[in-house]
Amino acid sequence: MIVSYIIPETKCCQLKRGAINLRPKELTSCERHIVQVIESRRQERQERRKGSVSISDKDLGLKRREAFLDLLLEASDSAGAALSDSDEEVDTFMFGGHDTTAAAMSFIFYNLAANPEVQARLAEEVAEVFGASDGAVTSQDLAQLKYTERVIKESLRLYPSVPLFARRIDEELPITGGYVIPAGTGALIACYQMNRNPAFFPDPEKFDPDRFLPENCTGRHPYAYVPFSAGPRNCIGQKFGMLQMKSTVAKVVRHCVLSLPRPGYKPVVTGRVILRAEDGVQLKVSPRKMAISPC
Ligand code: HEM
């Protein structure tokens, strides 16, 4: 079976308010969804306060963990801020959080299909951690998936979901060669190119997850590899994103074998805010014959 668009391209990447390519119909439906999410949470909170929600985690003696949206609503309630403030934050989270991981996973699946020996090693790790069980995945399970994590990192090296990000340099910045970049200059950090720098990643086009073994990272410049950016405005969702990707990759490889639709197939890569495959990533997916239920 050939699956095209294994992760369908979302229509949301150009929908941020203020972006040039607004598509009003889609923008309206996204905004409506966001307002609905916020409103239903707001109502739930009000009901909880009134005590009309009968069994709460508190009643069960468990420590309640607030969702990020609860914290936002709490802050906006106490500061008397307008709904639209939380609305914009939810926007950033939803669109910063789903397109990036979806694009990353398409390329991870491609890299696994193109490198069957890597896929076999990953499948072995997954089988070791989960055995014959098909139960729920726990965070302890995910912490054991060390090779899977290296596969994800190596895939993000070759296909960083955010291939380019921008900063403004606030203070004069002396650089090598006696040059000084004046304050106020705009700078683009070109991850896609940086991650292919042979000085840091020898034989850069080779897909080799072991580049991220601790011993192979020693001595590498800490900013040579920054798919989640770095510094105070780096990706706030990187740990969550990594867990999401690990659990999805483990689930798929646990049940399915991925292969290329034809020998030498390579997706055509394009950068539209997020790095994605022009016509989606095409893969063959077949059931993995293990002692667990089939795909
Ligand atoms: C493969 C997964 C992901 C990648 C590669 C990624 C990458 C990035 C990068 C490079 C930035 C910085 C952009 C810049 O400096 O202009 C960023 C920012 C951000 N990301 Fe992610 N991200 C991922 C997943 C997520 C997830 C899952 C969430 C939320 C649940 C998220 C939420 C955000 C937010 C809110 C920001 C803005 C932070 C700020 O401006 O202070 N990201 N991300």
Side-chain angles (χ1 to χ4, degrees), residues 11-31 88 91 95 273:
K11 291 181 177 165
C12 300
C13 62
Q14 302 172 336
L15 297 183
K16 278 218 61 84
R17 253 174 303 258
I20 303 161
N21 291 321
L22 290 183
R23 285 181 277 179
K25 218 173 103 209
E26 286 149 345
L27 180 62
T28 312
S29 94
C30 282
E31 283 184 332
E88 299 211 338
D91 245 12
F95 300 133
V273 186

Side-chain angles (χ1 to χ4, degrees), residues 20 69 92 102 109 160 189 194 216 218 233 242 281:
I20 303 161
L69 183 52
T92 311
F109 292 142
I189 293 99
M194 281 163 55
N216 293 339
T218 314
R233 297 305 296 264
M242 187 51 97
V281 169

Side-chain angles (χ1 to χ4, degrees), residues 136-148:
V137 172
T138 66
S139 51
Q140 286 89 335
D141 294 333
L142 296 180
Q144 291 183 64
L145 297 175
K146 302 280 183 213
Y147 187 68
T148 308

Side-chain angles (χ1 to χ4, degrees), residues 15-295:
L15 297 183
K16 278 218 61 84
R17 253 174 303 258
I20 303 161
N21 291 321
L22 290 183
R23 285 181 277 179
K25 218 173 103 209
E26 286 149 345
L27 180 62
T28 312
S29 94
C30 282
E31 283 184 332
R32 216 182 301 126
H33 176 67
I34 288 163
V35 170
Q36 270 167 11
V37 169
I38 297 173
E39 264 314 295
S40 79
R41 194 60 169 208
R42 203 183 273 281
Q43 269 172 23
E44 229 177 76
R45 288 167 56 80
Q46 274 165 3
E47 277 164 25
R48 215 186 294 144
R49 257 189 239 126
K50 278 192 260 156
S52 53
V53 175
S54 54
I55 302 178
S56 70
D57 294 345
K58 244 187 193 155
D59 298 328
L60 298 171
L62 301 172
K63 188 169 177 276
R64 239 192 81 76
R65 299 192 78 178
E66 298 271 12
F68 183 70
L69 183 52
D70 288 318
L71 298 178
L72 277 176
L73 290 174
E74 189 71 52
S76 78
D77 285 352
S78 49
L83 179 68
S84 63
D85 288 347
S86 340
D87 181 358
E88 299 211 338
E89 297 300 334
V90 175
D91 245 12
T92 311
F93 260 78
M94 281 194 168
F95 300 133
H98 88 271
D99 227 14
T100 43
T101 31
M105 281 189 292
S106 316
F107 288 118
I108 294 166
F109 292 142
Y110 160 70
N111 281 316
L112 288 173
N115 297 277
E117 66 302 338
V118 171
Q119 189 179 161
R121 199 169 151 192
L122 193 147
E124 233 171 73
E125 179 179 78
V126 169
E128 264 168 35
V129 172
F130 297 103
S133 139
D134 197 19
V137 172
T138 66
S139 51
Q140 286 89 335
D141 294 333
L142 296 180
Q144 291 183 64
L145 297 175
K146 302 280 183 213
Y147 187 68
T148 308
E149 185 164 324
R150 296 206 292 280
V151 167
I152 295 171
K153 286 183 174 170
E154 176 67 343
S155 191
L156 279 174
R157 180 184 72 81
L158 286 171
Y159 301 98
S161 309
V162 184
L164 193 83
F165 41 89
R167 290 289 182 273
R168 197 191 60 218
I169 295 171
D170 280 343
E171 295 166 16
E172 261 192 8
L173 179 69
I175 55 167
T176 47
Y179 297 101
V180 174
I181 302 180
T185 306
L188 287 178
I189 293 99
C191 259
Y192 187 88
Q193 279 77 11
M194 281 163 55
N195 293 350
R196 284 174 160 74
N197 183 342
F200 298 115
F201 303 105
D203 195 2
E205 293 300 328
K206 185 176 174 207
F207 187 80
D208 177 9
D210 287 344
R211 293 178 200 275
F212 290 96
L213 275 170
E215 59 270 30
N216 293 339
C217 294
T218 314
R220 190 182 294 148
H221 194 287
Y223 294 147
Y225 175 75
V226 285
F228 295 99
S229 181
R233 297 305 296 264
N234 73 349
C235 177
I236 204 167
Q238 66 174 288
K239 285 198 176 148
F240 175 73
M242 187 51 97
L243 289 178
Q244 231 184 339
M245 290 187 283
K246 268 184 165 182
S247 57
T248 311
V249 170
K251 178 86 181 172
V252 169
V253 173
R254 212 166 154 195
H255 294 283
C256 306
V257 177
L258 305 171
S259 45
L260 298 179
R262 53 189 173 277
Y265 164 79
K266 234 182 154 180
V268 179
V269 172
T270 174
R272 273 183 273 148
V273 186
I274 300 296
L275 192 81
R276 59 183 74 243
E278 185 69 55
D279 300 310
V281 169
Q282 297 176 13
L283 295 173
K284 269 191 204 165
V285 183
S286 30
R288 186 176 291 278
K289 290 181 184 53
M290 286 169 50
I292 49 175
S293 52
C295 167

